[in-house]
Amino acid sequence: MTSLPRLPEQWRRLDVALRDLPLGLLLLVASLVPVLHSRGTQFGGMPAHSFDPPAALALALECLPLALRRRWPAVCVALVSLGFALDQLRGYHLVAGAALPIALLSAGSHLERHRRAVVLLLSAAYVPLSLVLLRFGTGEPPIEFVTFYLVLACAWGGGAWLRSTRRAEAERRSRVAEDTRAAERTRIARELHDVVTHHVTAMVVQAEAARYLTAAPERLDQTLTNVTDTGRRAITDLRHLLDLLNPDHGAEARKPTVGKLLPLVEQTRRAGQTVEFTEEGTPAESTGSADLVAYRIVQESLTNALKYAQGSLTSVHVRHSEREIAVEVSTDGSGARARVPGGSGRGLAGLRERVDVLGGEFSAGPRTGGGFVVRARIPAGSSA
């Protein structure tokens, strides 16, 4: 019983010719059943003829090449057409004549090169066959030959439609895959920006301050220790980020959360920034991605405070409720710009995008009376 679910998988692993062969064998066996003799396609009105050695050749040409209908569709349709012509000219009228529209359908669907040339050659071969049957047959009207040609053309057209549908689906999947890769690259860049920019900014500010502390060895030693600790935290966060990007590590539980904001605030304080931190309320049982987004908002805002308002009073206020997490980070405008490279504009734009994805509200801009303020309301329980 356990092997039954594996049968479809084992079947798909077989060579395509082996998978296409049973259809041809089915037509071959049906053509050999005595009650079905002369019950197949009757085109041209040739008198019925009993089964003889040339009939075996026609039967083989019509049925066996169907094994090649996807691997070599041009060869398949050529051999099947030859067998069909022999079948009709000799008056066998085999059930295997049904192989011709199948071969045309497969050629229209799977033939990649010289499609127009194959259509022209098959149409050209159809003309002399029709003339011979019209001359030696039992008087089929010419319109019957035109109708039969249109039927065969519809078989080819059906295959061409399947081919175009398959190609359109492949292109759609390719676009979806490319969009997914682009979104993943954006997500990775955003996470790297959040992690690296914050820690490196703190290290640069602390190292810059150390230049002026050579006369105070104790303070210099403490500042260099802070730089070292910040570097270690950067390495730890990068490792966690790489684990998070690798689903095999199950690092979701180790992602930064709002509950770990205090170490983030302390790190900013050690970099020389005065930070007032307030956290109210109890987090919801399930915060979804809101926890991480709130953490990133505080992280990015503190980084910007170090870069653009160094030394100013910075306030961080986080409020939890059952439905949302509210974050507000502001500076009083009394600081100065630090000697660090300018931003790329990716930080605040990335935060706005994250909050929008969760259906929240985000704003960032100058504060009345000077300074800068970032506010966000993030629905709890949302996932992105």
Side-chain angles (χ1 to χ4, degrees), residues 88-348:
Q88 299 305 316
L89 290 172
R90 294 281 295 177
Y92 300 126
H93 306 312
L94 299 170
V95 173
L100 181 59
I102 296 175
L104 287 169
L105 180 70
S106 298
S109 177
H110 299 288
L111 186 63
E112 297 294 338
R113 302 175 58 186
H114 310 299
R115 294 174 60 84
R116 185 173 299 178
V118 170
V119 171
L120 292 176
L121 288 174
L122 290 175
S123 299
Y126 183 81
V127 174
L129 174 63
S130 300
L131 292 177
V132 171
L133 292 174
L134 188 62
R135 171 68 176 82
F136 296 101
T138 56
E140 292 283 346
I143 190 63
E144 294 294 333
F145 295 90
V146 175
T147 302
F148 190 71
Y149 178 84
L150 292 178
V151 171
L152 298 179
C154 288
W156 175 279
W161 177 80
L162 290 175
R163 177 174 178 268
S164 63
T165 302
R166 188 170 60 247
R167 292 184 65 178
E169 177 63 18
E171 292 175 358
R172 186 192 67 82
R173 290 182 179 180
S174 177
R175 288 194 301 270
V176 170
E178 181 59 33
D179 292 344
T180 302
R181 286 191 294 268
E184 186 66 13
R185 286 194 296 267
T186 300
R187 186 171 75 92
I188 293 172
R190 192 168 54 201
E191 292 291 335
L192 287 173
H193 170 272
D194 292 342
V195 172
V196 174
T197 303
H198 176 78
H199 291 301
V200 171
T201 298
M203 293 170 66
V204 170
V205 171
Q206 292 167 345
E208 184 68 22
R211 298 172 55 188
Y212 304 98
L213 298 175
T214 54
E218 294 182 359
R219 293 180 60 192
L220 176 61
D221 181 69
Q222 182 61 44
T223 299
L224 293 178
T225 300
N226 292 338
V227 173
T228 303
D229 292 342
T230 302
R232 291 195 181 101
R233 278 190 293 272
I235 293 174
T236 300
D237 283 355
L238 285 173
R239 285 175 178 169
H240 287 176
L241 173 60
L242 293 176
D243 285 347
L244 185 61
L245 296 175
N246 185 352
D248 295 334
H249 284 76
E252 186 70 21
R254 298 197 299 274
K255 67 184 181 182
T257 62
V258 172
K260 297 181 180 179
L261 282 177
L262 188 56
L264 190 63
V265 171
E266 290 296 335
Q267 178 187 2
T268 307
R269 287 170 177 167
R270 285 194 294 270
Q273 196 78 356
T274 303
V275 182
E276 293 181 350
F277 175 57
T278 306
E279 190 169 14
E280 300 177 0
T282 303
E285 294 183 2
S286 176
T287 59
S289 300
D291 220 18
L292 175 59
V293 173
Y295 181 93
R296 293 303 188 202
I297 290 173
V298 175
Q299 185 180 51
E300 176 66 18
S301 299
L302 291 177
T303 301
N304 289 340
L306 281 173
K307 292 169 65 175
Y308 304 113
Q310 185 181 8
S312 69
L313 175 62
T314 304
S315 299
V316 178
H317 184 200
V318 179
R319 180 174 52 82
H320 300 278
S321 68
E322 288 297 323
R323 295 185 176 182
E324 67 179 23
I325 301 175
V327 179
E328 179 177 313
V329 183
S330 62
T331 58
D332 63 7
S334 61
R337 183 185 179 100
R339 295 185 184 180
V340 294
S344 63
R346 183 182 292 116
L348 292 178

Side-chain angles (χ1 to χ4, degrees), residues 22-61:
L23 179 59
L25 295 179
L26 179 63
L27 290 176
L28 188 148
V29 171
S31 299
L32 294 176
V33 176
V35 71
L36 296 179
H37 284 179
S38 300
R39 299 286 185 178
T41 304
Q42 298 187 23
F43 168 59
M46 294 294 288
H49 196 285
S50 61
F51 198 90
D52 57 11
L57 176 61
L59 184 60
L61 287 174

